[in-house]
Amino acid sequence: MSEFVAQRVTRTYVQNVKAPAEQIFPLFCPVRQMEWLDGWEYEMVYSKSGFAEEGCVFKSRSIGDKDAVWVISKHDPDSFIIEFVRVAPQRWIGKVYMELERRPGFTNVYVNYSITAKNEEGNDINNGYTERHFIAFMKWWERSINYFLKYGKKLKKPRPARK
């Protein structure tokens, strides 16, 4: 029997969002994300305010991780910093750190994802979590939030053409 060695994958990306940080920051919330991110599903477990706040706990439903639990470990609206810890109990633990930086006419959103495997299955997931996959995911987020801020509705994910 070989000894398990956990792998960690870290990815970073800078989104360019055409709105002030004060308008963007509240959208990084499990409830508000329903307004702008097509395909997002969640179940609130705990939130004193009903929205994103430090200590907020919620579940998400993504492929293969129907029981993923998120905790907002840092929520600082004055500094525009939010950090999530996500636990997919059977596979991995992740951290998402986001910091917004005001720029003239837009906001940079610095996103850092870090995923640590809990077992070989988690390592396999990390091996498939390529830079290319991550960038495509971040660009989708960026397009979606910019679309919402401009038009006030969700950008729909392209659906595969029927044959």
Side-chain angles (χ1 to χ4, degrees), residues 4-10 85-95 113-126 129:
F4 168 70
V5 177
Q7 294 178 7
R8 175 175 287 164
V9 172
T10 301
V85 175
R86 181 178 179 190
V87 179
Q90 304 305 315
R91 299 180 176 146
W92 52 268
I93 298 167
K95 182 174 77 169
Y113 262 72
S114 179
I115 302 170
T116 305
K118 292 177 64 180
N119 51 35
E120 288 300 336
E121 189 178 6
N123 278 344
D124 290 343
I125 290 169
N126 275 349
Y129 195 57

Side-chain angles (χ1 to χ4, degrees), residues 127-146:
N127 289 334
Y129 195 57
T130 64
E131 184 75 16
R132 181 178 171 202
H133 171 83
F134 178 72
I135 288 172
F137 174 55
M138 288 291 100
K139 285 184 177 186
W140 168 247
W141 261 30
E142 184 176 29
R143 281 193 313 271
S144 295
I145 202 163
N146 276 311

Side-chain angles (χ1 to χ4, degrees), residues 76-89:
D76 185 347
D78 296 327
S79 298
F80 306 113
I81 296 171
I82 190 165
E83 180 180 76
F84 303 87
V85 175
R86 181 178 179 190
V87 179

Side-chain angles (χ1 to χ4, degrees), residues 102-113:
R102 291 182 184 123
R103 308 292 294 166
F106 66 96
T107 299
N108 279 332
V109 179
Y110 296 89
V111 182
N112 180 287
Y113 262 72

